[in-house]
Amino acid sequence: MPTFTAFMTRLLLLAAVLSLVQGPAGAVEAVVAEQRIADPVFRGEAQLLIAGSPEAPPVVLIHGIGARAAADWDGLIPELARDYRVLAFDLPGFGRSSKRNEPYTPGNYAAFVRYVIEREFGTRPVRIVGHSLGGAIALRYAALHPEQVTALVLADVPGLLHRMAYSKHLSHLGIDFLPNLYPTQNDH
């Protein structure tokens, strides 16, 4: 039984998605097709879930950390598939996708998302919904390919995955960027 927090998160996510991704009316029954594809980025295989009319506006769902992977979207896919072409997938390293000893970096995940989107939708711009880690990946993809994203919904996205990443970023900006902690700090 899902917790109240999980239920509210799903409900709010559905409301956000439906309010941002306006599409044509006209429903088709949600038949979710499962497909296993070769993954050239992580050199394994990935599990895809596809539902909705191929002519409908595309929506991409990117899951967060957890063993369920794309199955986290099971309750949302049929609702969205009434008006949209829905694509969800198990990220490499999760669910039914390959779990190889590869660098699972944000850049590699963004490259994987690009591969899957181009494979399924060509150059059609997409709406992306990302939860947790999937939100961070969606944000990275949208920053790299803004022309390919018509709407972006992020839920429970972590701000920084590790404080060392922020420290490294600040070190490149130099001491002038830091607030004046000492009166003579910037006298160099």
Side-chain angles (χ1 to χ4, degrees), residues 9 29 43 59 67 74 92 95 99 101 115-116 119 141 160 164 172 182:
T9 299
E29 283 302 312
R43 298 189 304 258
V59 175
D74 284 352
K99 296 162 186 67
N101 188 15
Y115 170 75
V116 174
R119 181 184 186 281
Y141 177 83
L160 293 172
M164 287 304 295
H172 289 289
Y182 304 101

Side-chain angles (χ1 to χ4, degrees), residues 13-138:
L13 185 59
L14 176 60
V17 169
L18 294 177
S19 70
L20 286 178
V21 290
Q22 304 293 320
V28 294
E29 283 302 312
V31 176
V32 179
E34 296 190 30
Q35 200 175 9
R36 197 148 177 88
I37 64 164
D39 163 20
V41 178
F42 292 94
R43 298 189 304 258
E45 292 184 327
Q47 186 74 21
L48 305 184
L49 303 173
I50 305 166
S53 170
E55 293 80 32
V59 175
V60 178
L61 306 176
I62 308 175
H63 67 82
I65 294 174
R68 289 180 40 86
D72 284 346
W73 303 110
D74 284 352
L76 187 59
I77 290 173
E79 294 296 321
L80 289 173
R82 292 178 183 167
D83 296 310
Y84 303 96
R85 180 68 167 176
V86 182
L87 170 64
F89 41 80
D90 290 347
L91 288 166
F94 294 92
R96 294 174 287 170
S97 290
S98 297
K99 296 162 186 67
R100 300 175 48 87
N101 188 15
E102 298 290 334
Y104 293 103
T105 65
N108 282 348
Y109 275 129
F112 168 78
V113 169
R114 181 174 186 172
Y115 170 75
V116 174
I117 288 174
E118 286 180 352
R119 181 184 186 281
E120 294 303 315
F121 302 121
T123 59
R124 289 173 65 192
V126 299
R127 294 147 178 85
I128 301 179
V129 180
H131 174 254
S132 186
L133 171 66
I137 294 166

Side-chain angles (χ1 to χ4, degrees), residues 170-184:
L170 283 179
S171 71
H172 289 289
L173 296 176
I175 197 165
D176 292 334
F177 177 76
L178 299 174
N180 285 329
L181 301 175
Y182 304 101
T184 60

